[in-house]
Amino acid sequence: MKSKLLLCLLLLGIVLTTANCNSKDDSPVDIPAPVIPEEPVIPDPVEEPHKEGVFNYKTFDKQKVAFGGEQKQNAEKTVQLPTDIELVQSIKMYVQFDCPCNIWDVFANVQVKDPKTQVWYEIGRYITPYGKDSSPLKRGLEFDVTDFKSVLTGTVELRIFTEVWGSDGWLVSVDLDYIYGKPDFKYSAVTPILQYNENSLKGVPYGENHAFDLEKTINVPQNAQSTHIRTIISGWGHATPNDAGGRGCAEWCFRTHQIKIDHQNAFPHVLGPIGCADNPIKAQRGNWAPDRAGWCPGMAVPTRIDVLKDPKAGKAFVFEYAFEPWTNNMQSSADNKQAFYAISNFVVVKSHTPIEKATVID
């Protein structure tokens, strides 16, 4: 009886074990879900604040320029200017000069350095008054320097020069207004053609043989939609023979120059009266009122803009600056018997698409 009971219990154990091994559990298994890393939150790009109106930038502030001892006729300064230049409609430059006021009317200018070529560009020229400051002008002399947008941006080196020969000199201030708005073309680039403008006596000799190269070939980029020539020119000297009224060259003799394009007269430049007696800086301490040939003491030298009817996109053209014929007889009684024209010419190209500079070839 006991043996049968043991046998039954053994058989029952086998049956239960087999049942457990073959059973199927359909209940859900609690398996941990995979950890998915969260994507980093990327903030929306910060947009530059929209600019409207006029933004002013100070550069030189009553910088002394003088001659003798440790004093210099020029000064340089590095400044920070806007980088969103495509949104700028125009740039105006203002030059003020305070006393001590040198007694003579002399050549003066402002330049900017092209960071790529390290070449200085003349962006404005003026003649100092005889011993008077610029206080009759609220902001000083005004210059439109929009043509130089492509270099008046970011970190910029500026230079001022005044051909003063006294230790009194001048205190020169320069500031720039960046006027935001829709420009005529979004992109522009500027290239020097001629720059014989180191000072009044380093210009092109007039009425005599010289080795100055006044003819260049200019290659215009393919996408140019507008091309123009920017010129500043002023004459010095009391060379003879005089014109009627005792007008020596090149300060007093009225002349008509020509810019030639492909050897044809294209743009006349009349160097005649511009109204010296109407100068707001009156009662100067010298011979300020009589008309010079294209400039006046205490005024900006005019900037001449000549727009090509055909922008010459993707083409080359020949540029030449031609003086009206005249021969210096070297008989002047002045200490300097020569006549000089200090000149700068630039070619400016514009487009609605990014544009490279025109290239100038000798």
Side-chain angles (χ1 to χ4, degrees):
M1 184 69 180
K2 183 184 287 185
S3 299
K4 289 183 180 180
L5 179 60
L6 290 173
L7 180 60
C8 288
L9 291 173
L10 179 61
L11 291 174
L12 179 60
I14 293 172
V15 170
L16 292 174
T17 301
T18 302
N20 286 338
C21 292
N22 293 331
S23 66
K24 183 178 181 181
D25 189 356
D26 291 329
S27 62
V29 179
D30 188 13
I31 301 174
V35 177
I36 301 175
E38 294 183 3
E39 293 185 5
V41 177
I42 301 175
D44 293 332
V46 177
E47 294 185 2
E48 291 279 344
H50 180 66
K51 293 181 181 178
E52 293 182 350
V54 180
F55 287 73
N56 180 258
Y57 296 83
K58 308 293 185 184
T59 62
F60 295 96
D61 182 20
K62 294 187 178 181
Q63 173 66 52
K64 179 75 176 288
V65 288
F67 180 77
E70 298 295 321
Q71 301 186 105
K72 294 183 179 180
Q73 295 174 323
N74 61 70
E76 298 178 10
K77 188 171 186 178
T78 299
V79 297
Q80 295 295 322
L81 298 176
T83 55
D84 54 352
I85 206 69
E86 294 84 6
L87 305 178
V88 173
Q89 185 179 69
S90 61
I91 308 174
K92 298 294 180 65
M93 178 174 72
Y94 297 91
V95 178
Q96 295 176 304
F97 31 90
D98 294 301
C99 291
C101 300
N102 184 262
I103 190 61
W104 294 105
D105 59 330
V106 298
F107 176 107
N109 65 14
V110 182
Q111 303 170 34
V112 62
K113 183 187 281 188
D114 182 337
K116 294 182 179 178
T117 64
Q118 303 300 299
V119 174
W120 288 98
Y121 294 175
E122 181 181 53
I123 62 177
R125 185 189 305 174
Y126 63 99
I127 312 299
T128 62
Y130 289 93
K132 296 277 288 187
D133 64 20
S134 62
S135 59
L137 302 169
K138 183 177 180 180
R139 298 189 64 186
L141 300 177
E142 180 182 310
F143 303 82
D144 188 327
V145 294
T146 312
D147 286 339
F148 300 95
K149 281 204 311 181
S150 58
V151 287
L152 288 171
T153 178
T155 303
V156 169
E157 291 183 69
L158 294 176
R159 180 165 68 189
I160 55 174
F161 170 75
T162 305
E163 195 179 356
V164 59
W165 298 105
S167 60
D168 46 5
W170 298 90
L171 301 179
V172 181
S173 300
V174 180
D175 65 298
L176 297 162
D177 277 357
Y178 282 66
I179 303 165
Y180 283 77
K182 185 178 180 180
D184 54 353
F185 291 92
K186 189 174 182 180
Y187 302 96
S188 66
V190 58
T191 311
I193 306 172
L194 306 176
Q195 286 205 96
Y196 300 130
N197 57 352
E198 184 177 344
N199 57 52
S200 65
L201 303 182
K202 291 294 182 69
V204 182
Y206 180 44
E208 59 180 290
N209 293 329
H210 60 78
F212 286 71
D213 183 7
L214 303 181
E215 183 177 307
K216 305 288 183 180
T217 297
I218 299 174
N219 291 295
V220 180
Q222 187 72 43
N223 63 326
Q225 295 174 271
S226 176
T227 302
H228 71 261
I229 308 296
R230 177 190 180 94
T231 301
I232 301 176
I233 186 163
S234 54
W236 297 93
H238 299 79
T240 56
N242 291 333
D243 283 7
R247 292 182 168 274
C249 283
E251 179 174 342
W252 300 93
C253 60
F254 300 152
R255 292 290 184 269
T256 299
H257 301 170
Q258 290 284 345
I259 286 183
K260 294 186 176 184
I261 302 296
D262 291 331
H263 309 292
Q264 300 296 317
N265 289 345
F267 304 108
H269 287 173
V270 178
L271 275 72
I274 63 171
C276 294
D278 296 328
N279 191 339
I281 304 177
K282 297 185 178 298
Q284 297 178 30
R285 297 166 57 195
N287 189 28
W288 63 279
D291 283 312
R292 273 75 171 171
W295 60 267
C296 295
M299 293 175 64
V301 177
T303 298
R304 303 167 188 270
I305 303 296
D306 298 306
V307 181
L308 277 63
K309 292 181 180 179
D310 174 6
K312 306 286 188 181
K315 302 176 184 176
F317 68 92
V318 177
F319 165 95
E320 180 185 358
Y321 201 89
F323 300 129
E324 184 176 322
W326 176 80
T327 301
N328 185 345
N329 64 14
M330 297 294 177
Q331 299 299 309
S332 175
S333 60
D335 292 338
N336 172 34
K337 300 182 184 301
Q338 292 181 282
F340 297 95
Y341 282 116
I343 184 171
S344 65
N345 307 99
F346 295 85
V347 57
V348 181
V349 290
K350 299 180 181 182
S351 180
H352 291 303
T353 57
I355 191 166
E356 297 294 326
K357 296 180 179 180
T359 57
V360 177
I361 304 170
D362 289 335

